[in-house]
Amino acid sequence: AVVSTQSTGGEPVLAQGLNDYEEINNESEIKTEEELDAFVETLNADQKRIYHKVTQAVEHMFDHESGACTEEQCKKPLRLYISGFGGTGKSYLIKAIVGFLYVQRNVFKEKADLMLVAPTGLAASG
């Protein structure tokens, strides 16, 4: 893979990407298990369905890390594309997922890193 090191706004692209990665993994508006539970209750049915699919996959990943599950066929990563028109709750759902991973990492001390990607800069900053 080729990584561009051209500067954007005075900072090399790779350095900015690493800064973004650290920021998304160290910040969340949801900081406690209680706040997370309350937030999840506000999700609509479709958002909850996707949220639970993601959280179950992450919890299963923890099972592999701890040795509780050794099945090779279920070690596949979850790749999920969330789409919808403006105002359908994509960012709200992502906020819940980020909160879940923040709580796992900072409250339960699980290895739970997150990388959010988007096809455009506008989507990535929303």
Side-chain angles (χ1 to χ4, degrees):
V2 176
V3 177
S4 173
T5 57
Q6 293 184 6
S7 181
T8 58
E11 202 167 354
V13 173
L14 183 57
Q16 179 59 50
L18 291 172
N19 288 341
D20 292 346
Y21 175 78
E22 287 180 10
E23 182 178 322
I24 196 72
N25 278 288
N26 292 315
E27 293 183 12
S28 174
E29 293 178 36
I30 301 167
K31 303 224 182 273
T32 67
E33 188 175 13
E34 293 77 21
E35 289 175 357
L36 178 62
D37 291 342
F39 192 84
V40 169
E41 286 301 313
T42 67
L43 298 175
N44 68 34
D46 285 336
Q47 290 168 324
K48 280 183 182 177
R49 180 178 49 82
I50 296 167
Y51 173 83
H52 289 301
K53 182 174 184 70
V54 170
T55 59
Q56 287 171 354
V58 170
E59 288 169 349
H60 194 88
M61 178 190 72
F62 296 152
D63 288 344
H64 278 280
E65 291 288 325
S66 70
C69 182
T70 58
E71 295 293 324
E72 286 299 316
Q73 71 267 17
C74 62
K75 278 182 106 172
K76 296 178 188 173
L78 174 66
R79 292 184 180 98
L80 184 65
Y81 180 78
I82 300 170
S83 67
F85 294 107
T88 57
K90 298 176 300 295
S91 295
Y92 199 72
L93 169 62
I94 290 170
K95 181 178 174 179
I97 294 168
V98 168
F100 170 77
L101 292 170
Y102 182 91
V103 168
Q104 294 302 309
R105 189 174 42 263
N106 294 290
V107 175
F108 298 111
K109 306 303 181 197
E110 293 284 0
K111 182 181 175 189
D113 291 331
L114 172 67
M115 183 175 294
L116 295 174
V117 296
T120 67
L122 181 59
S125 65

